[in-house]
Amino acid sequence: MIKVEKIYKAYKNFDVLIDVSAQVEKGQIVAVIGPSGCGKSTFLRCINGLEKVSKGRIYVDGKEVTAPDTNLNKIRSEVGIVFQQFNLFPHMSVKENIMLAPVKVKKISKSDADQIAMALLEKVGMLDHAHKYPEQLSGGQAQRVAIARSLAMEPKIMLFDEPTSALDPKMTNEVLDTMKQLAQDGMTMIVVTHEMSFAREVANKIMFFSQSRLIEEAAPDKFFHNPQSEITREFLRSVLKLEV
Amino acid sequence: MYWNDIFENFDFLMSGLVVTIQLALLAVIGSLLCGIVFGVLRHSKIPVISFLAGAYIEFTRSIPLILFIVFIHFGFLPLILGEASTFFQSACVALIAFTSAYVAEIVRSGLNSIDKGHIEAAKSLGLNWFDRMTCVILPIALTRMTPALVSQFISLIKDTSLASTIGLIEFTRSGEIIYERTYHELEILIFIALTYFAICYSLSLLSKKLESKPYINKDSENLKQLKELA
Ligand SMILES: Nc1ncnc2c1ncn2[C@@H]1O[C@H](COP(=O)(O)OP(=O)(O)OP(=O)(O)O)[C@@H](O)[C@H]1O
Ligand SMILES: [Mg+2]
């Protein structure tokens, strides 16, 4: 579904990603973890072309994102992304936020888009808030609307960049529940997260980044109990206080 | 006092006022549209485009409006059209060309103020450049720019009086024509000043109203409060 081949990303002379290769299969839930500043967000943003790689190739569903003549808008309409800061459009109601892309990008009729929006709002438990404006929502509600907005394009893959980092514990659970639901529905997901319980319970694969490199890839069980790299062990010991 | 001068020449003054209002309206619409285009071009990442738009904006802002009006009426428009333009046409083109440079700067700063996250969200949904601009970026920017735009348009309304220099009989000039005949300047000038004040001040009140809480759906808020009261 996603194939990343030896990508490099540098700002000026600072390397943010060094020689990262990875593969994500259809229906897989990948948790991306690692210390702050190690390049997790950049990795995610390269996948939908929000950042350009300096070197290497990325394929999404067989199409090369990194090719110079790629229609990025087309790829982006098939890859949803949810940000830490929600980024709902403040001048549109919840429903209008969700309807915008289906109407403008997929050119479906307003009434069809309306139905899609309502169905998605029901799915994320926000049906009663359809006519509110983003500034009237709590963080957890806003994030669930942001998820619904991405889903409205019927993406093949969903990327999440620390979707719960701006939320308190109760709101975090609301959003994590929505994401678990999505995982059960078979969505392919890459989730940058600090929520280790989510990584353990929901993910099928953990990708651990440190200092711009992909250090280790493993199933959660193996990753948390029998990590191969000394860097991973050090991280698990110091950050998560695990005995490894 | 000769307040009667106003009533005796009321129709004439009003026909001047109508010209002023028509000119102002056309110029507001024209300079808003052109200003948005110039502002977006100025904001462009393509250096040549940004430079050319910037050159136009800086040049225009460094020249007195009255020179603009005279130049466009006696030089530019006759050259383009191949015949003399009407006073109204020249004044309209000059005001649009002049004000759009100021609007463009306002638009540019509005565009700069947009949260990068909103632009990225719009990109990530697959919206193309045009849809991102028209559906997301400009609407957010325009709401923020409203106070600055309104104050620019208030200047524009007052600037329409400069069109009298090429001979257009707008509101100020129509008053002048009356007191050139009667020699009672004071009353007419007071009346004209108060009329400009009424127009410009109501616009400024309107902008204050638009400024407060632009996004919240006021109707639903009011309804909720009413229900709670009941
Ligand atoms: N536009 C930019 N210009 C220069 N450096 C940047 C830019 N964006 C990111 N960086 C740098 O790249 C590095 C990786 O950033 P990135 O946001 O991918 O890290 P992260 O792993 O997501 O961190 P966090 O957990 O704090 O979100 C950081 O050191 C950051 O300072
Ligand atoms: Mg990050």
Side-chain angles (χ1 to χ4, degrees), chain A residues 116-150:
Chain A
I116 293 174
M118 289 320 239
L120 285 169
L121 283 172
E122 176 152 33
K123 190 181 168 116
V124 300
M126 289 290 295
L127 201 53
D128 296 341
H129 306 272
H131 296 285
K132 284 195 179 170
Y133 279 72
E135 63 184 352
Q136 295 169 293
L137 303 176
S138 75
Q141 293 174 332
Q143 194 60 295
R144 284 182 284 152
V145 172
I147 293 172
R149 179 175 68 177
S150 283

mmCIF file of all heavy atoms in Angstrom, chain A residues 116-150:
data_model
loop_
_atom_site.group_PDB
_atom_site.id
_atom_site.type_symbol
_atom_site.label_atom_id
_atom_site.label_comp_id
_atom_site.label_asym_id
_atom_site.label_seq_id
_atom_site.Cartn_x
_atom_site.Cartn_y
_atom_site.Cartn_z
ATOM 1 N N ILE A 116 -23.361 12.285 3.188
ATOM 2 C CA ILE A 116 -22.083 11.703 3.611
ATOM 3 C C ILE A 116 -21.635 12.336 4.921
ATOM 4 O O ILE A 116 -21.239 11.646 5.867
ATOM 5 C CB ILE A 116 -21.008 11.938 2.522
ATOM 6 C CG1 ILE A 116 -21.360 11.140 1.268
ATOM 7 C CG2 ILE A 116 -19.623 11.573 3.034
ATOM 8 C CD1 ILE A 116 -20.454 11.419 0.093
ATOM 9 N N ALA A 117 -21.738 13.679 4.989
ATOM 10 C CA ALA A 117 -21.303 14.394 6.189
ATOM 11 C C ALA A 117 -22.093 13.926 7.408
ATOM 12 O O ALA A 117 -21.522 13.652 8.468
ATOM 13 C CB ALA A 117 -21.454 15.898 5.994
ATOM 14 N N MET A 118 -23.410 13.815 7.243
ATOM 15 C CA MET A 118 -24.238 13.420 8.383
ATOM 16 C C MET A 118 -23.899 11.995 8.836
ATOM 17 O O MET A 118 -23.811 11.723 10.027
ATOM 18 C CB MET A 118 -25.723 13.535 8.030
ATOM 19 C CG MET A 118 -26.213 14.966 7.900
ATOM 20 S SD MET A 118 -25.525 16.070 9.149
ATOM 21 C CE MET A 118 -26.990 16.651 9.936
ATOM 22 N N ALA A 119 -23.690 11.098 7.866
ATOM 23 C CA ALA A 119 -23.363 9.716 8.217
ATOM 24 C C ALA A 119 -22.037 9.664 8.982
ATOM 25 O O ALA A 119 -21.904 8.950 9.980
ATOM 26 C CB ALA A 119 -23.274 8.869 6.951
ATOM 27 N N LEU A 120 -21.058 10.458 8.525
ATOM 28 C CA LEU A 120 -19.754 10.454 9.197
ATOM 29 C C LEU A 120 -19.833 11.078 10.582
ATOM 30 O O LEU A 120 -19.202 10.611 11.527
ATOM 31 C CB LEU A 120 -18.725 11.193 8.344
ATOM 32 C CG LEU A 120 -18.240 10.398 7.139
ATOM 33 C CD1 LEU A 120 -17.435 11.277 6.201
ATOM 34 C CD2 LEU A 120 -17.395 9.215 7.612
ATOM 35 N N LEU A 121 -20.647 12.134 10.702
ATOM 36 C CA LEU A 121 -20.791 12.766 12.017
ATOM 37 C C LEU A 121 -21.418 11.790 13.002
ATOM 38 O O LEU A 121 -21.062 11.754 14.174
ATOM 39 C CB LEU A 121 -21.626 14.046 11.903
ATOM 40 C CG LEU A 121 -20.862 15.230 11.322
ATOM 41 C CD1 LEU A 121 -21.786 16.411 11.064
ATOM 42 C CD2 LEU A 121 -19.746 15.647 12.274
ATOM 43 N N GLU A 122 -22.338 10.985 12.494
ATOM 44 C CA GLU A 122 -22.935 9.975 13.360
ATOM 45 C C GLU A 122 -21.869 8.973 13.798
ATOM 46 O O GLU A 122 -21.765 8.615 14.965
ATOM 47 C CB GLU A 122 -24.082 9.274 12.621
ATOM 48 C CG GLU A 122 -24.671 8.137 13.433
ATOM 49 C CD GLU A 122 -26.127 7.899 13.098
ATOM 50 O OE1 GLU A 122 -26.489 8.100 11.918
ATOM 51 O OE2 GLU A 122 -26.871 7.517 14.014
ATOM 52 N N LYS A 123 -21.058 8.564 12.835
ATOM 53 C CA LYS A 123 -19.998 7.589 13.110
ATOM 54 C C LYS A 123 -19.037 8.077 14.201
ATOM 55 O O LYS A 123 -18.613 7.314 15.057
ATOM 56 C CB LYS A 123 -19.234 7.335 11.809
ATOM 57 C CG LYS A 123 -18.256 6.193 11.847
ATOM 58 C CD LYS A 123 -17.569 6.096 10.476
ATOM 59 C CE LYS A 123 -16.386 5.163 10.553
ATOM 60 N NZ LYS A 123 -16.551 3.988 9.728
ATOM 61 N N VAL A 124 -18.680 9.372 14.162
ATOM 62 C CA VAL A 124 -17.742 9.875 15.172
ATOM 63 C C VAL A 124 -18.466 10.490 16.377
ATOM 64 O O VAL A 124 -17.853 11.143 17.218
ATOM 65 C CB VAL A 124 -16.744 10.910 14.582
ATOM 66 C CG1 VAL A 124 -15.930 10.290 13.470
ATOM 67 C CG2 VAL A 124 -17.474 12.158 14.080
ATOM 68 N N GLY A 125 -19.788 10.272 16.420
ATOM 69 C CA GLY A 125 -20.552 10.730 17.583
ATOM 70 C C GLY A 125 -20.692 12.236 17.702
ATOM 71 O O GLY A 125 -20.704 12.788 18.797
ATOM 72 N N MET A 126 -20.795 12.919 16.542
ATOM 73 C CA MET A 126 -20.880 14.385 16.576
ATOM 74 C C MET A 126 -22.120 14.909 15.853
ATOM 75 O O MET A 126 -22.172 16.069 15.466
ATOM 76 C CB MET A 126 -19.623 14.983 15.930
ATOM 77 C CG MET A 126 -18.360 14.814 16.746
ATOM 78 S SD MET A 126 -18.378 15.826 18.226
ATOM 79 C CE MET A 126 -18.374 17.467 17.511
ATOM 80 N N LEU A 127 -23.105 14.049 15.687
ATOM 81 C CA LEU A 127 -24.276 14.415 14.904
ATOM 82 C C LEU A 127 -24.971 15.673 15.436
ATOM 83 O O LEU A 127 -25.437 16.514 14.664
ATOM 84 C CB LEU A 127 -25.262 13.232 14.886
ATOM 85 C CG LEU A 127 -26.280 13.217 13.766
ATOM 86 C CD1 LEU A 127 -25.611 13.357 12.416
ATOM 87 C CD2 LEU A 127 -27.082 11.915 13.813
ATOM 88 N N ASP A 128 -24.997 15.808 16.762
ATOM 89 C CA ASP A 128 -25.693 16.960 17.356
ATOM 90 C C ASP A 128 -24.968 18.278 17.134
ATOM 91 O O ASP A 128 -25.497 19.339 17.432
ATOM 92 C CB ASP A 128 -25.839 16.759 18.875
ATOM 93 C CG ASP A 128 -26.721 15.571 19.186
ATOM 94 O OD1 ASP A 128 -27.465 15.164 18.280
ATOM 95 O OD2 ASP A 128 -26.638 15.057 20.321
ATOM 96 N N HIS A 129 -23.747 18.203 16.632
ATOM 97 C CA HIS A 129 -22.941 19.420 16.544
ATOM 98 C C HIS A 129 -22.748 19.888 15.097
ATOM 99 O O HIS A 129 -21.912 20.749 14.845
ATOM 100 C CB HIS A 129 -21.577 19.191 17.193
ATOM 101 C CG HIS A 129 -21.676 18.680 18.598
ATOM 102 N ND1 HIS A 129 -21.775 19.511 19.687
ATOM 103 C CD2 HIS A 129 -21.732 17.420 19.092
ATOM 104 C CE1 HIS A 129 -21.866 18.790 20.788
ATOM 105 N NE2 HIS A 129 -21.845 17.518 20.457
ATOM 106 N N ALA A 130 -23.527 19.323 14.185
ATOM 107 C CA ALA A 130 -23.313 19.575 12.754
ATOM 108 C C ALA A 130 -23.295 21.066 12.408
ATOM 109 O O ALA A 130 -22.569 21.485 11.520
ATOM 110 C CB ALA A 130 -24.375 18.863 11.930
ATOM 111 N N HIS A 131 -24.094 21.858 13.111
ATOM 112 C CA HIS A 131 -24.212 23.263 12.718
ATOM 113 C C HIS A 131 -23.347 24.197 13.541
ATOM 114 O O HIS A 131 -23.382 25.405 13.355
ATOM 115 C CB HIS A 131 -25.677 23.696 12.773
ATOM 116 C CG HIS A 131 -26.509 22.936 11.788
ATOM 117 N ND1 HIS A 131 -26.465 23.204 10.441
ATOM 118 C CD2 HIS A 131 -27.329 21.880 11.938
ATOM 119 C CE1 HIS A 131 -27.257 22.352 9.802
ATOM 120 N NE2 HIS A 131 -27.788 21.542 10.694
ATOM 121 N N LYS A 132 -22.563 23.620 14.439
ATOM 122 C CA LYS A 132 -21.676 24.469 15.239
ATOM 123 C C LYS A 132 -20.475 24.906 14.413
ATOM 124 O O LYS A 132 -20.159 24.325 13.384
ATOM 125 C CB LYS A 132 -21.201 23.708 16.469
ATOM 126 C CG LYS A 132 -22.257 23.601 17.540
ATOM 127 C CD LYS A 132 -21.618 23.180 18.841
ATOM 128 C CE LYS A 132 -22.661 23.083 19.935
ATOM 129 N NZ LYS A 132 -22.106 22.446 21.136
ATOM 130 N N TYR A 133 -19.788 25.933 14.929
ATOM 131 C CA TYR A 133 -18.544 26.372 14.310
ATOM 132 C C TYR A 133 -17.367 25.827 15.131
ATOM 133 O O TYR A 133 -17.504 25.593 16.326
ATOM 134 C CB TYR A 133 -18.520 27.900 14.220
ATOM 135 C CG TYR A 133 -19.309 28.377 13.034
ATOM 136 C CD1 TYR A 133 -20.696 28.300 13.033
ATOM 137 C CD2 TYR A 133 -18.666 28.838 11.894
ATOM 138 C CE1 TYR A 133 -21.426 28.691 11.917
ATOM 139 C CE2 TYR A 133 -19.387 29.230 10.785
ATOM 140 C CZ TYR A 133 -20.763 29.153 10.794
ATOM 141 O OH TYR A 133 -21.469 29.523 9.695
ATOM 142 N N PRO A 134 -16.211 25.608 14.493
ATOM 143 C CA PRO A 134 -15.089 24.988 15.196
ATOM 144 C C PRO A 134 -14.766 25.619 16.543
ATOM 145 O O PRO A 134 -14.440 24.925 17.487
ATOM 146 C CB PRO A 134 -13.936 25.154 14.202
ATOM 147 C CG PRO A 134 -14.606 25.102 12.887
ATOM 148 C CD PRO A 134 -15.926 25.809 13.068
ATOM 149 N N GLU A 135 -14.859 26.951 16.638
ATOM 150 C CA GLU A 135 -14.473 27.582 17.907
ATOM 151 C C GLU A 135 -15.444 27.242 19.040
ATOM 152 O O GLU A 135 -15.174 27.534 20.197
ATOM 153 C CB GLU A 135 -14.342 29.095 17.744
ATOM 154 C CG GLU A 135 -15.622 29.792 17.376
ATOM 155 C CD GLU A 135 -15.416 31.299 17.136
ATOM 156 O OE1 GLU A 135 -14.326 31.800 17.408
ATOM 157 O OE2 GLU A 135 -16.370 31.934 16.689
ATOM 158 N N GLN A 136 -16.579 26.628 18.700
ATOM 159 C CA GLN A 136 -17.533 26.254 19.741
ATOM 160 C C GLN A 136 -17.334 24.816 20.225
ATOM 161 O O GLN A 136 -18.101 24.333 21.040
ATOM 162 C CB GLN A 136 -18.959 26.403 19.206
ATOM 163 C CG GLN A 136 -19.339 27.832 18.879
ATOM 164 C CD GLN A 136 -20.638 27.909 18.114
ATOM 165 O OE1 GLN A 136 -20.721 27.478 16.967
ATOM 166 N NE2 GLN A 136 -21.668 28.423 18.756
ATOM 167 N N LEU A 137 -16.320 24.138 19.673
ATOM 168 C CA LEU A 137 -16.121 22.729 20.021
ATOM 169 C C LEU A 137 -14.980 22.561 21.024
ATOM 170 O O LEU A 137 -14.051 23.359 21.050
ATOM 171 C CB LEU A 137 -15.767 21.923 18.762
ATOM 172 C CG LEU A 137 -16.742 21.971 17.602
ATOM 173 C CD1 LEU A 137 -16.169 21.183 16.425
ATOM 174 C CD2 LEU A 137 -18.098 21.426 18.000
ATOM 175 N N SER A 138 -15.069 21.488 21.818
ATOM 176 C CA SER A 138 -13.922 21.124 22.657
ATOM 177 C C SER A 138 -12.861 20.499 21.754
ATOM 178 O O SER A 138 -13.145 20.140 20.610
ATOM 179 C CB SER A 138 -14.360 20.125 23.718
ATOM 180 O OG SER A 138 -14.545 18.859 23.127
ATOM 181 N N GLY A 139 -11.651 20.341 22.286
ATOM 182 C CA GLY A 139 -10.572 19.766 21.487
ATOM 183 C C GLY A 139 -10.895 18.378 20.961
ATOM 184 O O GLY A 139 -10.656 18.062 19.797
ATOM 185 N N GLY A 140 -11.465 17.546 21.830
ATOM 186 C CA GLY A 140 -11.783 16.177 21.422
ATOM 187 C C GLY A 140 -12.837 16.156 20.329
ATOM 188 O O GLY A 140 -12.757 15.376 19.375
ATOM 189 N N GLN A 141 -13.824 17.049 20.477
ATOM 190 C CA GLN A 141 -14.871 17.132 19.446
ATOM 191 C C GLN A 141 -14.275 17.613 18.133
ATOM 192 O O GLN A 141 -14.551 17.056 17.069
ATOM 193 C CB GLN A 141 -15.969 18.093 19.904
ATOM 194 C CG GLN A 141 -16.751 17.578 21.107
ATOM 195 C CD GLN A 141 -17.727 18.609 21.635
ATOM 196 O OE1 GLN A 141 -17.510 19.815 21.501
ATOM 197 N NE2 GLN A 141 -18.800 18.140 22.240
ATOM 198 N N ALA A 142 -13.430 18.641 18.214
ATOM 199 C CA ALA A 142 -12.820 19.187 16.999
ATOM 200 C C ALA A 142 -12.007 18.108 16.282
ATOM 201 O O ALA A 142 -12.071 17.981 15.059
ATOM 202 C CB ALA A 142 -11.935 20.384 17.347
ATOM 203 N N GLN A 143 -11.273 17.304 17.062
ATOM 204 C CA GLN A 143 -10.442 16.287 16.437
ATOM 205 C C GLN A 143 -11.305 15.216 15.775
ATOM 206 O O GLN A 143 -10.968 14.719 14.702
ATOM 207 C CB GLN A 143 -9.476 15.678 17.465
ATOM 208 C CG GLN A 143 -8.355 14.863 16.866
ATOM 209 C CD GLN A 143 -7.466 15.685 15.931
ATOM 210 O OE1 GLN A 143 -7.918 16.156 14.887
ATOM 211 N NE2 GLN A 143 -6.213 15.866 16.293
ATOM 212 N N ARG A 144 -12.438 14.876 16.395
ATOM 213 C CA ARG A 144 -13.300 13.876 15.761
ATOM 214 C C ARG A 144 -13.916 14.420 14.469
ATOM 215 O O ARG A 144 -14.080 13.688 13.492
ATOM 216 C CB ARG A 144 -14.381 13.424 16.746
ATOM 217 C CG ARG A 144 -13.800 12.456 17.792
ATOM 218 C CD ARG A 144 -14.843 11.956 18.733
ATOM 219 N NE ARG A 144 -15.208 12.964 19.719
ATOM 220 C CZ ARG A 144 -16.396 13.029 20.310
ATOM 221 N NH1 ARG A 144 -17.337 12.156 20.009
ATOM 222 N NH2 ARG A 144 -16.640 13.963 21.200
ATOM 223 N N VAL A 145 -14.210 15.728 14.464
ATOM 224 C CA VAL A 145 -14.698 16.338 13.219
ATOM 225 C C VAL A 145 -13.594 16.313 12.159
ATOM 226 O O VAL A 145 -13.847 16.010 10.992
ATOM 227 C CB VAL A 145 -15.177 17.788 13.460
ATOM 228 C CG1 VAL A 145 -15.499 18.472 12.143
ATOM 229 C CG2 VAL A 145 -16.382 17.796 14.382
ATOM 230 N N ALA A 146 -12.370 16.586 12.591
ATOM 231 C CA ALA A 146 -11.252 16.572 11.640
ATOM 232 C C ALA A 146 -11.089 15.174 11.031
ATOM 233 O O ALA A 146 -10.804 15.029 9.846
ATOM 234 C CB ALA A 146 -9.957 17.009 12.330
ATOM 235 N N ILE A 147 -11.293 14.145 11.856
ATOM 236 C CA ILE A 147 -11.220 12.775 11.334
ATOM 237 C C ILE A 147 -12.341 12.545 10.322
ATOM 238 O O ILE A 147 -12.113 12.024 9.226
ATOM 239 C CB ILE A 147 -11.286 11.754 12.492
ATOM 240 C CG1 ILE A 147 -10.022 11.863 13.355
ATOM 241 C CG2 ILE A 147 -11.436 10.327 11.942
ATOM 242 C CD1 ILE A 147 -10.059 11.033 14.633
ATOM 243 N N ALA A 148 -13.555 12.986 10.682
ATOM 244 C CA ALA A 148 -14.684 12.831 9.762
ATOM 245 C C ALA A 148 -14.423 13.569 8.452
ATOM 246 O O ALA A 148 -14.740 13.078 7.370
ATOM 247 C CB ALA A 148 -15.965 13.355 10.418
ATOM 248 N N ARG A 149 -13.806 14.756 8.556
ATOM 249 C CA ARG A 149 -13.522 15.534 7.346
ATOM 250 C C ARG A 149 -12.580 14.768 6.419
ATOM 251 O O ARG A 149 -12.768 14.744 5.202
ATOM 252 C CB ARG A 149 -12.897 16.877 7.737
ATOM 253 C CG ARG A 149 -12.542 17.741 6.546
ATOM 254 C CD ARG A 149 -12.046 19.087 6.963
ATOM 255 N NE ARG A 149 -10.743 19.021 7.629
ATOM 256 C CZ ARG A 149 -10.063 20.090 8.039
ATOM 257 N NH1 ARG A 149 -10.571 21.300 7.864
ATOM 258 N NH2 ARG A 149 -8.897 19.956 8.624
ATOM 259 N N SER A 150 -11.568 14.119 6.995
ATOM 260 C CA SER A 150 -10.667 13.313 6.169
ATOM 261 C C SER A 150 -11.381 12.110 5.568
ATOM 262 O O SER A 150 -11.193 11.785 4.399
ATOM 263 C CB SER A 150 -9.495 12.806 7.003
ATOM 264 O OG SER A 150 -8.564 13.841 7.199
#
